[in-house]
Structure formats: C-alpha cells, structure tokens
C-alpha cells in the first residue's frame, strides 16, 4: 500500500514537472519542432494523470493547435476531465453537445454541462449562460440571470485590463475576405510592414511611434514584442517626438521583460512629454501623483493633470476623473459627474469606463437602474477576454485550409455570443469542406447561427436568414418570415434585401402583391448599391413586360386560357423566357443600328 502511494506521488510529481517544462517551451519557443516536442511532453504528463496537461492537450486536439485535429481523442480526454470535476472539461463538453461535434447533439445536456462549469467558476460557461438567458436560448428569457453571469465575467476582465494594456483582438469577417474587400484596417500585409520599417529607419518619428504601439500590444497581425516597442519609442523620443517620450514613460511605469520598472524614469519621460503638451504625458504625471509612485501622494495635483489631459480628449484621463468622482477620492463624490466622464471615456474606446457604466446601470447609481443597459455594457467588456484570441488562430487556420479547425474555434466563440464568430461559423458550414459534421446537420446549424447573428443586428445575416426561410434550407419554407427578415435588413440599407423584397411584392409571396411597391424597392436597391444596377434593370424589365402583356387587349385571349395553362405549356418561369427574348431582340436592334451608323460614316468619308 505504501509502495503504491509512493509510486502515485512520484508520478504526480513527474507529471507536474513535464507539464511545467512543456508550458515553458510553448511560451518562449516559436519553432514548430520545439512546439511538437512540447506537446509530446504534454502527452506524457497527461498519461500520468496531470489535469492541467490533460486540459491543454484536449484543447490542442479539439482546436487543432500545433497537432493534427482529433475530435475523438479530445472527447475521450474531456469526458475523463469532466468526471474528475474539471470545469474546463464540463464547459467544452457543453459546447460539443450544443453543436453535435464528436458527441450527440443535445441542448439539454449542453445546458447541464454549462451549469456545472459555471458553478465551478468557469468564466466561459458563465458568459455562455449570460448570453443564453439574455436572448432566451433553450432557457426562459431572464435579464437578471444574464446580469448575474455577465457581471462575474466582466469584473474579472476589468481587473485584468486595469493591470495590463492589452487591446481587443481583430475580428475578420470571412465574407468580406472572400469578396476581396481591403483588410489592411485589420491586418497589415507583409510588404506594408516592410515599408513602415523602411520609413522608421529613415527617421519618420510618427511611423516609429506607430510601430512601437503595434509591438507594445500586438495589433494588426504584428507580434507583441516589448523589446521592439521600446526600440521604436526610444528612437522617436531621441528625435524629439512627444508621443515617443510618453510611451516610454508608460513602459517604465508598468515594467516588462524588456524594461525594468522605474517610477523615476517614468516621471522623467512623462515630464518631457507633458512639457510639449502631450496628453499621455500629462495623464502619466497625474497617475504618478494619484498613486504616490516616485512622488508624494497628492490627489489635488493628480486631479489637475487628469483634467488637463481629459480636455485634450484622452480617454484614460477621462476614466480617472470618473473614478475620482465615483469614489469621492480627492473630490466630493458626484455620481452624475462620474457618469458623464465614464460615458465620454467609453465613447473614446476606454473599456474600463464601459465596465463602470455597467456597474452604475446595474445598481441604479446616479442613473435609473436598467438591467438591459447593464447587460449590454457588461457583455461588451466580457468580449475583451483572452479567449477572443481565438479569432486570430481561427482566421489563420481558415487561410491555411484547415476548415474544421477554423470552424470549431469560430463555433466556440459563437456559443459565447460573438456575432462575427456566428456569421463566420455559418459561412464555413455552407461550404463543402466541413468534414466533422453530418451533411444533414450542416444547414440546420448554419440556419441557427445566421439567426443568432441576425438577432444581433447583422444585416447580411438577416438576408441569409430570410433566404433560409424562403428556400427552406435547414428549416421549413416560410415566405412570411422571409419577408420579415428581408424588411429588417432593408432598414439597414441592404441592397440585396431590397431586391428580394421587390421580387416578393412582385410575385405576392408572403406579402400582398403590389406592383407599385415592387417598382419602388427595385429602384431603391439600384440607388443603394451600384452592383445592383444590372440585376435591377433585368428584373424591372421583366416586371414591366409582364405588366404590359397583362394590360394588352390581345392578352385577354390568353387570359381566358388562364395563366396556369401558360405555366403548364412554357414552364413556371415563362416570364423570364420572355424577358430573355426581348433582351436578345434589343441587342440585335442595337447592333444593327451601330453597324448601319458605321457604314454611313464610311460612305461620308469616301
């Protein structure tokens, strides 16, 4: 018995050692060979029963991180983890049950797993439950229950954001990429990066600061590298750039692997930047006095600096003023002024200010209590969690042709309520490349995801949801519901939705037949998008020809025969055939006139 216990403890110790070694390699290595070695160590640690290693390995197998995707092996690991009480295992099994990935599609079981995961403190489970209660997905709609779940997650994220200067991850829409829409606002192309580096080397201080900011937080596909950020900020600062000085102050204030934390050096660079009127430098001095770091604690001086920087439009300074008024630190407590500064800061992109606004709406502090507003604000903070990094790995997997890996990652984010992920997942499901799901399950699941994205206001998703109802993809054919979704999308100036509405008014599908409204929607669609001009021209031509034929006297002879008989003889789309014939005749007429014109010109020349 003693020998078995000693052996067990030895295996546990070895498992912990292997796990820590593998994580260290994964954290510091960029080479594929070394990462493969790290996962081999993880596998050994998992075999020895190390829970953290099992969780890490299971995620790698499910999402296809650095190892071939293996859903069956992932399911086996997650089931073992769930039995051992792992809230991560319970959460992922809930996700897999919700989509039918590797396990039976079962929403009741998914909800049960999420509930256990939430009780175990899993933030992702809490976020998923918040989203489900907010919209009433497989549970009764309950704003207060959604608020409870979102509040827990938002508090954790806000605390993390207060300690780190991380920025939101870029969320690329696959539909836009497939249509060759420019995406330099999301990722910098390699050649653009090289050009910026060339300009920075030539002494362009604005580009130096820009590259420094990108490396500081890891944006636009540029790797996070504080050493490079420090290099660019220092070059800009030496050349007299105030922003370079201010960001050096921030780096020394926070400290990192590249810079040893130093309040004195931070004060030096903040002062240099502030003397040039730089808002970040002024805010930095205020923060030093507010926290008493390297200088005597002085709320009055801090308030003065924050106020000056806030007037220059700096969101961080506006946030600090809000915090001071909210807590009554250095000033008289004033919730109305606190709300004012939090609101302005939130409009300028300050996520912690959004969290404070959520708090005020949730408690009714300084404003009328609003559960709906509080949930929406907390939810936007929750979406800044580290799990959003999956947007990058999912996108790169899709670009590499790893469709199943990309789908699972986007679907996981979609389950948490990210609208972009819902749209991307549905888009991938419509392709023929997905192998991990049954064919008869793809369209119903895509329909569900388009519908959820549509509920969040995405116009394209509303058109797609309308299409699914119109054609009966993944759901029963329903023209009335299709028209409803097209109307919602048309309100957002979507030309495709307008065209579809016009067609439905023309044919009387799901809505009363109205030729005048059909003409109007066709015209509005053409004005909204130049791409709609040709389809609208052809559709309008068909409409007018049909109307003309119906109104012509000799057409009465045909009407006695009934249009249904005409449909039986020429087919249900005889009107399209008629339009095609008319277009051909028009083209022949135009070509003949052009030929006659050219011949006449030649005769005049002779």
């Amino acid at each position: 018995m003693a020998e078995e216990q000693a052996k067990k403890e030895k295996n546990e110790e070895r498992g912990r050692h292997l796990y820590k070694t593998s994580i260290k390699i994964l954290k510091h290595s960029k080479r594929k060979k070394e990462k493969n070695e790290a996962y081999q160590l993880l596998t050994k640690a998992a075999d020895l029963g190390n829970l953290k290693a099992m969780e890490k390995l299971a995620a790698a197998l499910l999402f296809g991180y650095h190892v071939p995707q293996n859903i069956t092996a992932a399911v086996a690991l997650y089931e073992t983890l769930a039995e051992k009480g792992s809230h991560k295992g319970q959460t992922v099994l809930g996700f897999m049950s919700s989509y039918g990935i590797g396990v039976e599609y079962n929403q009741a079981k998914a909800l049960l797993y999420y509930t256990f995961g939430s009780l175990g403190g899993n933030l992702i489970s809490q976020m998923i439950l918040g989203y489900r209660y907010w919209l009433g997905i497989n549970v009764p709609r309950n704003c207060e229950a959604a608020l409870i779940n979102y509040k827990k997650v938002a508090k954790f994220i806000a605390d993390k954001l207060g300690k780190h200067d991380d920025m939101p991850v870029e969320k690329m829409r696959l539909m836009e990429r497939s249509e060759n829409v420019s995406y330099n606002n999301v990722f910098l192309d390699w050649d653009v990066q090289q050009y910026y580096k060339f300009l920075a080397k030539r002494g362009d201080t604005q580009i130096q600061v820009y590259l420094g900011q990108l490396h500081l937080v890891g944006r636009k596909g540029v790797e996070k590298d504080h050493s490079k950020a420090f290099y660019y900020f220092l070059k800009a600062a030496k050349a007299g750039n105030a922003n370079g000085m201010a960001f050096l102050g921030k780096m020394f204030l926070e400290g990192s692997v590249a810079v040893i934390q130093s309040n004195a050096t931070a004060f030096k660079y903040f002062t240099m930047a502030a003397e040039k009127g730089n808002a970040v430098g002024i805010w930095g001095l205020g923060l030093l006095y507010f926290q008493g770091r390297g200088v005597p604690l002085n709320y009055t001086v801090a308030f003065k600096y924050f106020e000056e920087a806030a007037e220059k439009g700096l969101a961080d300074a506006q946030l600090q003023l809000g915090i001071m008024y909210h807590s009554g630190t250095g000033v008289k407590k004033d919730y109305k002024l606190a709300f004012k500064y939090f609101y302005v800061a939130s409009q300028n992109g300050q996520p912690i200010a959004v969290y404070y606004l959520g708090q005020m709406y949730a408690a009714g502090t300084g404003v009328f209590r609003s559960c709906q507003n509080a949930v929406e604000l907390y939810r936007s903070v929750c979406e800044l969690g580290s799990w959003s990094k999956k947007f990058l790995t999912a996108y790169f997997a899709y670009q590499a042709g790893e469709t199943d890996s990309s789908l699972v990652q986007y679907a996981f984010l979609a389950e948490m309520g990210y609208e972009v992920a819902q749209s991307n997942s549905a888009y991938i499901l419509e392709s023929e490349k997905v192998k991990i799901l049954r064919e008869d399950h793809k369209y119903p699941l895509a329909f569900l995801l388009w519908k959820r994205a549509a509920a969040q206001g995405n116009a394209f998703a509303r058109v797609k949801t309308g299409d699914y109802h119109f054609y009966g993809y993944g759901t029963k054919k329903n023209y009335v519901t299709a028209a409803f979704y097209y109307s919602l999308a048309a309100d957002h100036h979507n030309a495709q939705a307008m065209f579809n509405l016009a067609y439905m008014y023309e044919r009387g599908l799901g809505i009363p037949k109205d030729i005048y409204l059909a003409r109007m929607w066709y015209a509005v669609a053409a004005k909204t998008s130049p791409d709609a001009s040709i389809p609208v021209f052809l559709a309008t031509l068909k409409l007018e020809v049909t109307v003309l034929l119906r109104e012509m006297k000799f057409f009465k002879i045909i009407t006695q025969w009934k249009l249904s008989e005409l449909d039986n003889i020429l087919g249900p789309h005889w009107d399209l055939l008629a339009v095609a014939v008319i277009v051909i005749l028009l083209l022949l007429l135009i070509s003949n006139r052009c030929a006659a014109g050219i011949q006449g010109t030649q005769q005049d020349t002779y």
Side-chain angles (χ1 to χ4, degrees), residues 232-268:
Y232 284 118
F233 289 145
L234 187 61
K235 279 181 74 73
K238 286 181 177 179
N241 186 286
N243 281 321
M245 298 169 186
F247 278 106
L248 280 178
K250 283 190 73 174
M251 290 194 77
F252 277 107
L253 180 66
E254 296 167 1
S256 69
V257 291
V259 179
I260 298 173
Q261 199 281 330
S262 171
N263 292 330
T265 311
F267 180 81
K268 168 191 165 184

Side-chain angles (χ1 to χ4, degrees), residues 119-187:
L119 292 172
N122 188 275
L123 296 173
I124 292 174
S125 272
Q126 290 167 357
M127 189 170 168
I128 291 171
L129 286 176
Y131 176 65
R132 289 192 167 218
Y133 278 113
W134 183 50
L135 292 182
I137 299 172
N138 300 117
V139 292
R141 194 165 186 169
N142 188 328
C143 186
E144 295 299 332
L147 180 61
I148 290 168
N149 282 285
Y150 274 129
K151 186 176 181 180
K152 294 174 186 175
V153 184
K155 185 180 186 309
F156 176 84
I157 302 300
D159 289 342
K160 293 277 283 185
L161 290 172
K163 296 172 185 175
H164 304 285
D165 199 21
D166 288 338
M167 297 293 288
V169 172
E170 292 86 355
K171 303 176 182 69
M172 183 70 188
R173 292 187 184 275
L174 298 182
M175 294 79 71
E176 294 176 356
R177 182 61 177 150
S178 67
E179 294 169 6
N180 295 318
V181 176
S182 173
Y183 70 114
N184 281 339
N185 61 329
V186 179
F187 296 110

Side-chain angles (χ1 to χ4, degrees), residues 286-302:
L287 196 63
L288 289 172
Y289 279 104
F290 183 76
Q291 297 176 348
R293 298 176 64 176
V295 292
L297 184 73
N298 192 321
Y299 293 133
T300 304
V301 175

Side-chain angles (χ1 to χ4, degrees), residues 264-285:
T265 311
F267 180 81
K268 168 191 165 184
Y269 281 112
F270 281 142
T271 303
M272 289 169 64
E275 287 173 353
K276 290 178 175 286
N278 183 272
V280 177
I282 296 167
W283 162 83
L285 289 176

Side-chain angles (χ1 to χ4, degrees), residues 2 14 21 52 149 185 189 196 221 236 241 255 268 287 314 339 370 407-408 436 462 479 494 523 530 544 590:
R14 187 161 175 258
T21 305
K52 290 184 177 179
N149 282 285
N185 61 329
D189 286 329
Y196 282 164
N241 186 286
K268 168 191 165 184
L287 196 63
L314 188 70
F339 181 86
S370 171
L407 172 63
V408 174
I436 59 173
R462 285 174 172 174
Y479 291 139
N494 185 285
E544 298 303 335
I590 293 167

